Amino acid sequence: MAALASKEAGNAAFGKKEYSTAAAAYASGLKELSASGSYSDLEGGDRELAATLLSNRAASLLGMEKYNEACEDCSASLELDNKRVKSLYRRAQAYEALDKLSEAFKDLKLAIHIDPKNKPAIVAARRVKDALAAQIQDQSPVAQTVRELTADDTLADRRIALLKSLIGTTVDDVGSSLEVLRRQGLPVLWEITKATNSETEAHLAIRCMASMASHVPVADALIAELSLAEIVGLVEGYPALAVGAVGLLLRLLTKCSKPQAVAAGGGEADGTLSTGELEAAEVGRCDVAIDAWAAAMASSEAEVRDAALDAVVNWCSEEAPKWATPVPEEDARRLPMSERKAVQEAEARWKAVIGVRASRVCQSVEVAMAMFNLLDSESSSERQKALAAFGRVAAAIPDPEMVQTLLEPILSASPGTGGDLSFMRRKAALASAMFLAHQEVGVFVLGRSTAVQELVMLISSGDDIGTAAAAETLCLAASNEQGRALLAPVIESGTLDALLDSPNARARSAAASAIAKLGVASKALDTNSSDTDRLLNTAMLLLKGAEDVEQQEGKKLDAAAAAEDQANSARVTTERAVEVIAALITKSAVKDEIAHGSGRCTQALPRLCAACKDGRSAVAYGLAHIFASLTVTNKDVQRRQLAEKEMDITPEQLEELQRITKQKNDDDEEEDTPQRVAFRTQKIVQNDGIRALVRLADGASESTQLQVAMALRQIAVEVPVRGSMVQHGAFRVCSDLASSPKASVKCVREAAWCLGKILVTTNPNVLTEAQRLDAIPPLMRLLKDHHADELMHFEALLGLTNLASVDDATKNRITSEKGGVRALEYLQFSDHELVRRAATECMTNLLPHPKVVEHLRDPEKIKLWVGFSEDYEADFPTARAAAGALAMAVGLDDEELTETLVNKSACIRAFVGLLSCGHPELVHRAGVGITYLADIPHAVTKLKKEGAVPALKKLVKAAKKDPTKWAAVQGVVAGALEAVEAAKEADPSEVIVEVDDAGDFDISEGK
């Protein structure tokens, strides 16, 4: 055959690499098969030969580097035989040569799928895959950005735009940051940083490196490639570059991985780092950091100094990295006690590292004195930052005596520039910082020979900054027993009282807080004292002043510094005003005055509600505590405290004991009553207090969360406000708190209880499905909480009963909770009648859910329900619920349940007995159950044996005589009688199960 001969000739030429001759021979063979060049009509051997010739010619064209024509021949060959591996492989070769890597990879994957052992295809696939990945990366935004930054013809505006884009790309993406390194982008960024021709580009370049360094593997690479000393040198550059250098250095020092000196070896047997190794590895880093912070704080530019203060705070409060702790904190909580010890030891090791950093800050004369001098900065913001930095550094040193030793040189220094007044201001601010960090150190600073006298001098000087600093120190000292002892000269001289009339709002607020703390500590304040009058009025004025400043925000002010000082002053005065009110809030009369106002005090609630911004603010706990106190009586507070301490004494007995021992004055205010609480609660709601509490829950601490949950639960006591609580977000907040793993046990309990209270009277259909379903898990957990009291269980059960009536989704959620049905059954055995009743009603509302049906199939479980239904004289509501559940159960199409009810329980006897109870509601349920039973032959026999027919006839007659009483059940009774009389009894030969009076089974043959 001519075509076959052409193939042989082509193969011979191809073997000699005479590709053009081979291609011509294959073409001749193809022409022999089809002169028209169309091969689709060929069949059998001719079709296969054509596919081979086309594939072979493609191989020749590849040798001739005619890749497009080779692709065409391979495609034509595959149309004739789509599983021809050689055609796929050769087309992939052509695609690869044409740089169509994606198409080449697809052909190679298919070829390997057809022939998994084809080694050339496997090798080619690996090669193409790598090339394809490189091609994709080469076209990535990061690669293009680095190329443009290195190009000489890129304009300045374009370079700035590229750097901004790179910052946004790398800050949250470790992959992009690593790609910058792979593309040799780090040298590019470093060169731009050191260049002097564009400050903007240099600043953006160092910011970009700082954003990259937020990822641990990138930080390691930067430390290896960059000179930390050169970065420190940049701190002395122009402000923007200096700020960027401080930020980059902080990232490198805090984001790098395990210290390399330790990573190479050493440590404990399990790889854990010892305290000594961690401290040793930190020493070198500390030297670099101290040099940088010192240079930055010596800058004449405020923004550079601010960056250094922020860096010190962050450096001395860094959370332990993953390599320093065995397990994350959230996992440690679930560990057994034996394993928690390792976690605690790891935490101690890391605290030692932070202590090394803080100690080096204090030991550095340049850094410590720079921070000390900034305590008297002209900028209020800078003073506050320096105060926070000192406090953080001191708090990071675990040993108070070490802090005292480190502070001695600072306190003993000469006044220097600024004179005695400036020096006294700085020492007063330092004392405040120490009281916040270590109260023992604060007492040490204030207890020095002339410290208290210097505070008096500052106050007498009339200097606003000095007066405010001194008053703040007095306020903090009043919180500590030893600190209060040092304040005698200030109190005796009348200096503290005089501050209440100071024109300086911050001084007034601090003085008011100090007096309130001293009065509460000494129990010298009573409701009608003049001090209480002054403190309340001062607090109200401070709140109003802070509110006025906040209302000015956004308006154009003459100086930015003045605006900043006013904002700081408003924040501090609000904090102190809240402290004063929180200290006085235990007085019942004060509670009423705060809520309603009085002749001596304006209404504070609107301002307190306005002060509730979020749970992160410094006043969040105080505000939440105030609301929690306003919404409860003092007796209830005492009762809760006694219960928590498990003391077997009532509030009344405790009060009498206090009077006898003279711990309580006879002229104390009259008893706080629930009626007064109700009035205060109404005022809170009217002043948008619910939304205020919702805001306080956002980002709140554990203690603030508890106070918010308590306040909301206490507000929910008032039924009329529960709808507002749903509308204003309180229901959602309680669901979140009750489900939060970070909330305390008490907070979870209070929040879940609040949900139960709201649901008792709220139509569940007004809630969204998500709200209904989210409320169920907290309520179920409350039911299983053995520390919850009976009232909590009762209201949680009522709430669940309400939810269970809505739809199958809520029933499914309740029963799907772990141990859900079991928990409800357990509460049916409660000693408290109301809890038993609520649990029974909740189970009834869950019918006909399969899990409840499964529960009722157990004859032992049914005994309880039958017993409840028969105990109507002692507990009618529970009997009504149990009888209703039994009637519903009989009507269900469940053979096993029916068998239990008819043959393994006293259910029939109970129904018949209820017919003569005299209660229409119970008779109605019994009648419905008997009607269902009439369809079961065995049940009919037992009904007649128990006397159901005479009892029903008697009721029919009674209904005729007294239609008013029995009108609602007349139809049911008549229907039941008709159904039983018309029903067919069981075959006597069948087995009948009798249940005696004790509920035991007696099985005998039918007669």
Side-chain angles (χ1 to χ4, degrees):
M1 182 182 179
L4 193 56
S6 297
K7 174 193 168 188
E8 297 298 335
N11 289 348
F14 187 86
K16 299 175 184 178
K17 297 186 179 181
E18 297 174 358
Y19 300 123
S20 178
T21 304
Y26 295 136
S28 176
L30 287 168
K31 192 172 183 181
E32 292 289 339
L33 291 173
S34 173
S36 64
S38 175
Y39 314 108
S40 57
D41 294 334
L42 296 177
E43 296 179 356
D46 288 348
R47 186 181 183 89
E48 184 178 352
L49 180 58
T52 301
L53 290 170
L54 286 166
S55 180
N56 288 354
R57 186 169 68 176
S60 302
L61 292 170
L62 286 172
M64 298 163 65
E65 298 183 1
K66 295 183 178 181
Y67 303 116
N68 285 316
E69 294 177 34
C71 278
E72 292 175 3
D73 273 2
C74 289
S75 297
S77 174
L78 289 167
E79 286 180 6
L80 299 176
D81 180 3
N82 60 7
K83 292 186 178 181
R84 184 171 288 271
V85 172
K86 287 185 177 180
S87 297
L88 288 167
Y89 176 71
R90 288 165 182 166
R91 186 168 69 177
Q93 288 179 299
Y95 279 144
E96 184 180 7
L98 293 170
D99 206 26
K100 296 182 178 181
L101 301 179
S102 180
E103 291 87 341
F105 189 62
K106 288 178 182 178
D107 279 352
L108 291 168
K109 279 177 63 179
L110 183 55
I112 295 169
H113 178 73
I114 297 169
D115 183 7
K117 295 183 179 181
N118 192 313
K119 290 185 179 180
I122 293 172
V123 172
R126 290 173 181 165
R127 181 182 66 252
V128 170
K129 183 180 180 181
D130 291 341
L132 183 60
Q135 185 184 73
I136 292 171
Q137 286 189 352
D138 197 50
Q139 295 171 356
S140 70
V142 170
Q144 293 175 5
T145 298
V146 173
R147 278 199 299 271
E148 282 197 67
L149 285 173
T150 56
D152 295 334
D153 58 349
T154 304
L155 299 176
D157 289 346
R158 177 59 181 166
R159 289 165 67 86
I160 290 172
L162 290 169
L163 288 167
K164 288 180 178 179
S165 172
L166 202 57
I167 292 171
T169 302
T170 56
V171 67
D172 293 321
D173 186 359
V174 63
S176 296
S177 300
L178 290 170
E179 188 178 355
V180 172
L181 297 179
R182 288 195 299 271
R183 298 289 173 185
Q184 297 302 308
L186 182 58
V188 175
L189 293 171
W190 186 242
E191 287 302 318
I192 295 173
T193 300
K194 293 192 297 182
T196 58
N197 56 338
S198 174
E199 292 185 3
T200 302
E201 289 184 29
H203 171 229
L204 290 172
I206 202 167
R207 276 185 58 198
C208 184
M209 287 187 284
S211 71
M212 291 166 59
S214 61
H215 310 293
V216 172
V218 182
D220 289 342
L222 292 183
I223 285 180
E225 295 190 33
L226 297 179
S227 166
L228 294 182
E230 286 190 73
I231 298 175
V232 174
L234 295 176
V235 175
E236 299 178 356
Y238 52 87
L241 185 63
V243 170
V246 169
L248 173 59
L249 197 60
L250 178 66
R251 290 282 176 83
L252 293 177
L253 293 174
T254 58
K255 292 295 181 180
C256 57
S257 62
K258 185 182 295 187
Q260 298 212 359
V262 180
E268 306 295 337
D270 60 357
T272 305
L273 306 177
S274 69
T275 302
E277 287 174 318
L278 280 171
E279 291 178 348
E282 195 63 30
V283 169
R285 294 176 179 176
C286 285
D287 292 339
V288 174
I290 294 299
D291 289 345
W293 312 153
M297 288 185 193
S299 172
S300 60
E301 299 294 334
E303 61 180 305
V304 180
R305 297 195 299 269
D306 283 355
L309 290 170
D310 289 339
V312 168
V313 169
N314 289 320
W315 190 51
C316 292
S317 58
E318 182 193 359
E319 292 185 0
K322 292 181 180 179
W323 52 263
T325 52
V327 293
E329 181 182 354
E330 58 271 17
D331 294 338
R333 295 178 183 176
R334 295 189 285 268
L335 290 175
M337 290 300 296
S338 58
E339 296 181 30
R340 289 186 195 176
K341 185 179 179 182
V343 177
Q344 292 167 353
E345 290 174 351
E347 290 173 352
R349 285 193 294 272
W350 183 250
K351 285 180 181 177
V353 171
I354 297 298
V356 169
R357 295 178 181 178
S359 300
R360 294 298 294 273
V361 169
C362 290
Q363 289 167 354
S364 168
V365 176
E366 294 85 354
V367 176
M369 288 306 299
M371 289 168 56
F372 183 64
N373 291 333
L374 290 176
L375 289 172
D376 193 37
S377 168
E378 294 180 0
S379 166
S380 171
S381 173
E382 195 163 57
R383 291 198 301 273
Q384 290 298 319
K385 285 190 174 183
L387 190 73
F390 251 124
R392 173 49 60 188
V393 169
I397 301 173
D399 183 5
E401 292 186 3
M402 180 183 291
V403 180
Q404 295 174 20
T405 303
L406 293 172
L407 290 180
E408 188 64 42
I410 298 174
L411 295 169
S412 303
S414 60
T417 305
D420 291 338
L421 183 63
S422 173
F423 192 53
M424 286 191 293
R425 286 199 298 247
R426 282 177 276 160
K427 286 199 288 186
L430 181 61
S432 297
M434 293 307 104
F435 271 114
L436 291 170
H438 286 294
Q439 293 202 355
E440 309 96 301
V441 182
V443 171
F444 161 76
V445 175
L446 194 59
R448 292 171 65 84
S449 58
T450 61
V452 175
Q453 288 76 10
E454 288 176 355
L455 294 181
V456 175
M457 292 171 62
L458 276 175
I459 295 169
S460 304
S461 70
D463 176 72
D464 277 352
I465 296 176
T467 301
E472 183 71 17
T473 303
L474 295 175
C475 175
L476 293 169
S479 301
N480 177 272
E481 184 176 354
Q482 293 176 303
R484 288 192 291 269
L486 297 172
L487 300 185
V490 185
I491 299 169
E492 292 168 1
S493 66
T495 302
L496 192 58
D497 283 338
L499 280 174
L500 289 179
D501 299 320
S502 169
N504 187 312
R506 291 185 64 174
R508 284 201 314 276
S509 65
S513 180
I515 293 172
K517 292 172 184 175
L518 290 169
V520 170
S522 63
K523 300 182 180 178
L525 287 176
D526 61 51
T527 302
N528 298 314
S529 72
S530 58
D531 284 342
T532 302
D533 284 358
R534 292 185 71 193
L535 290 175
L536 278 176
N537 276 312
T538 300
M540 296 306 103
L541 291 172
L542 291 170
L543 281 176
K544 184 178 184 303
E547 188 179 80
D548 292 342
V549 170
E550 288 181 357
Q551 290 174 353
Q552 293 175 7
E553 287 185 359
K555 296 181 180 180
K556 187 175 181 181
L557 297 172
D558 293 337
E564 183 181 36
D565 285 346
Q566 284 192 7
N568 285 332
S569 177
R571 176 181 56 78
V572 174
T573 53
T574 299
E575 291 174 11
R576 296 297 173 242
V578 170
E579 280 184 4
V580 172
I581 296 173
L584 300 174
I585 198 67
T586 56
K587 310 292 183 182
S588 299
V590 172
K591 292 182 185 182
D592 290 342
E593 289 180 86
I594 289 170
H596 308 294
S598 68
R600 68 175 182 176
C601 170
T602 57
Q603 186 187 6
L605 263 182
R607 292 179 184 133
L608 289 172
C609 291
C612 297
K613 305 300 183 185
D614 59 48
R616 302 172 189 84
S617 67
V619 295
Y621 175 80
L623 289 166
H625 171 68
I626 291 170
F627 282 108
S629 299
L630 288 172
T631 52
V632 68
T633 66
N634 290 339
K635 283 277 177 66
D636 284 339
V637 172
Q638 285 183 340
R639 190 172 288 109
R640 183 175 64 234
Q641 291 171 345
L642 292 173
E644 289 174 355
K645 295 176 182 178
E646 298 183 353
M647 295 177 64
D648 189 16
I649 184 174
T650 66
E652 291 76 15
Q653 292 170 330
L654 177 63
E655 183 176 349
E656 184 61 27
L657 181 63
Q658 289 174 331
R659 289 187 187 280
I660 293 171
T661 58
K662 297 184 179 181
Q663 296 179 39
K664 186 177 181 69
N665 296 325
D666 291 333
D667 60 349
D668 271 353
E669 72 274 10
E670 63 181 276
E671 181 184 354
D672 201 6
T673 64
Q675 291 75 22
R676 293 168 72 174
V677 171
F679 289 139
R680 294 198 295 264
T681 300
Q682 290 173 10
K683 283 290 185 181
I684 289 173
V685 176
Q686 290 168 7
N687 286 281
D688 215 12
I690 294 175
R691 284 197 178 96
L693 286 165
V694 168
R695 292 195 296 272
L696 286 180
D698 180 22
S701 66
E702 186 177 294
S703 55
T704 302
Q705 286 178 336
L706 174 59
Q707 295 297 316
V708 169
M710 288 171 58
L712 290 175
R713 191 264 302 164
Q714 288 158 188
I715 289 173
V717 170
E718 304 303 320
V719 175
V721 308
R722 292 175 182 172
S724 298
M725 295 185 74
V726 175
Q727 294 172 4
H728 296 168
F731 190 89
R732 173 187 55 78
V733 163
C734 286
S735 290
D736 292 343
L737 290 176
S739 303
S740 172
K742 296 183 179 179
S744 67
V745 174
K746 289 182 181 178
C747 177
V748 168
R749 189 179 297 139
E750 289 282 343
W753 189 9
C754 183
L755 291 175
K757 280 185 178 292
I758 293 172
L759 286 167
V760 169
T761 56
T762 300
N763 180 358
N765 290 298
V766 304
L767 303 173
T768 65
E769 183 178 25
Q771 286 177 320
R772 291 194 296 267
L773 297 180
D774 288 346
I776 290 171
L779 291 174
M780 293 302 299
R781 285 193 292 271
L782 184 59
L783 294 184
K784 292 180 276 189
D785 184 350
H786 297 299
H787 296 286
D789 61 34
E790 290 166 330
L791 180 57
M792 296 179 187
H793 285 158
F794 175 64
E795 293 186 322
L797 284 166
L798 291 184
L800 283 171
T801 301
N802 212 359
L803 289 172
S805 66
V806 177
D807 54 24
D808 289 339
T810 54
K811 289 183 174 67
N812 286 333
R813 187 59 177 265
I814 293 171
T815 55
S816 65
E817 286 293 309
K818 186 177 181 181
V821 175
R822 250 192 338 268
L824 295 173
E825 180 197 9
Y826 177 79
L827 292 173
Q828 284 185 290
F829 291 92
S830 170
D831 293 334
H832 201 286
E833 178 183 303
L834 292 178
V835 175
R836 291 198 305 271
R837 179 187 308 166
T840 304
E841 289 175 346
C842 185
M843 290 276 276
T844 302
N845 270 18
L846 287 172
L847 278 171
H849 193 277
K851 288 192 177 180
V852 181
V853 171
E854 182 182 357
H855 170 81
L856 293 176
R857 288 173 185 156
D858 185 346
E860 293 299 319
K861 312 290 187 190
I862 287 292
K863 282 184 181 180
L864 177 66
W865 292 81
V866 170
F868 279 158
S869 69
E870 293 179 327
D871 194 25
Y872 53 84
E873 291 183 356
D875 187 358
F876 174 76
T878 304
R880 178 178 55 196
L886 291 173
M888 290 174 62
V890 172
L892 297 176
D893 186 17
D894 187 285
E895 292 183 4
E896 190 176 344
L897 177 58
T898 301
E899 173 70 15
T900 298
L901 292 168
V902 174
N903 292 329
K904 298 180 181 179
S905 74
C907 179
I908 292 176
R909 184 192 64 196
F911 281 152
V912 175
L914 290 176
L915 294 177
S916 57
C917 70
H919 294 285
E921 291 180 78
L922 293 179
V923 169
H924 184 278
R925 286 158 174 75
V928 171
I930 289 171
T931 302
Y932 285 135
L933 288 169
D935 292 332
I936 307 168
H938 281 227
V940 174
T941 302
K942 298 188 71 173
L943 282 168
K944 291 182 178 180
K945 183 177 179 179
E946 293 288 347
V949 174
L952 289 167
K953 287 181 178 180
K954 186 177 179 180
L955 277 172
V956 170
K957 290 179 181 179
K960 291 179 180 179
K961 290 181 180 180
D962 189 359
T964 303
K965 178 178 180 179
W966 300 104
V969 300
Q970 187 174 6
V972 172
V973 170
L977 177 59
E978 182 181 350
V980 174
E981 289 181 329
K984 180 182 177 182
E985 293 189 47
D987 188 334
S989 63
E990 295 181 4
V991 175
I992 297 176
V993 181
E994 302 288 352
V995 182
D996 60 23
D997 292 338
D1000 296 326
F1001 308 137
D1002 179 20
I1003 303 177
S1004 59
E1005 293 294 330
K1007 298 179 180 178

